Amino acid sequence: MNIEGQCHCGQVAYRAEIDPQKVAICHCNDCQALTGCAFRISVSTPREAISLSGTPPKVYRKIAESGRARLLYFCADCGSPLFSSGEDPDQGEWGIRWGSIRQRRELAPQRQKWCRSAVDWLDRIDALPAREQE
Ligand SMILES: [Zn+2]
Ligand SMILES: [Zn+2]
């Protein structure tokens, strides 16, 4: 599937080819800290399937719980998270952040990982008071 995306302010943009079966939720502690949210949704795809345009994203390097370095790409201006990758020689596969994808409504998660750090209230949000708008 061909997708396109951008950060919130639009300075960083991309086009990519992805497999919708590879959309996944990550409940790890780093994803919670880096998104400010309960979990992160990404789709992985080969680096060569992504073409960037606009301003190059800023890169933050972290050491994952696995002990390997991960590179996190985000817009230097608006801060939107866009991609993640390993370092050489693990650079081949990139993760694209679901929220940056224009066609995200068509992309439902297919699996979950790092469930041991998942919050325990996710299955209960259906029961919370809800409004259509703020
Ligand atoms: Zn931006
Ligand atoms: Zn994670």
Side-chain angles (χ1 to χ4, degrees):
M1 174 179 172
N2 286 306
I3 59 167
E4 54 192 36
Q6 63 173 52
C7 64
H8 188 265
C9 77
Q11 286 189 36
V12 188
Y14 64 88
R15 290 176 178 276
E17 165 104 40
I18 58 129
D19 176 355
Q21 294 303 312
K22 291 194 169 175
V23 180
I25 288 176
C26 182
H27 296 281
C28 83
N29 286 307
D30 282 350
C31 282
Q32 291 172 359
L34 288 158
T35 61
C37 196
F39 57 84
R40 164 132 64 193
I41 313 170
S42 301
V43 57
S44 65
T45 200
R47 170 65 185 94
E48 55 268 24
I50 305 173
S51 71
L52 289 170
S53 58
T55 308
K58 191 167 165 55
V59 181
Y60 171 65
R61 182 179 184 273
K62 70 154 190 174
I63 303 298
E65 280 184 59
S66 64
R68 285 180 306 194
R70 298 287 299 167
L71 303 178
L72 304 169
Y73 302 77
F74 59 98
C75 174
D77 207 37
C78 72
S80 304
L82 293 158
F83 313 105
S84 65
S85 76
E87 268 186 333
D88 290 336
D90 299 328
Q91 265 271 12
E93 197 78 2
W94 277 34
I96 301 175
R97 304 318 192 191
W98 181 88
S100 69
I101 301 170
R102 191 164 69 84
Q103 297 85 354
R104 60 186 176 273
R105 306 256 170 230
E106 302 166 40
L107 299 169
Q110 303 297 313
R111 61 197 161 86
Q112 307 178 68
K113 55 187 177 179
W114 288 100
C115 290
R116 75 179 187 196
S117 42
V119 294
D120 63 5
W121 43 257
L122 275 182
D123 58 348
R124 298 198 300 273
I125 61 173
D126 266 356
L128 299 178
R131 303 176 180 193
E132 284 295 318
Q133 293 188 319
E134 186 178 3

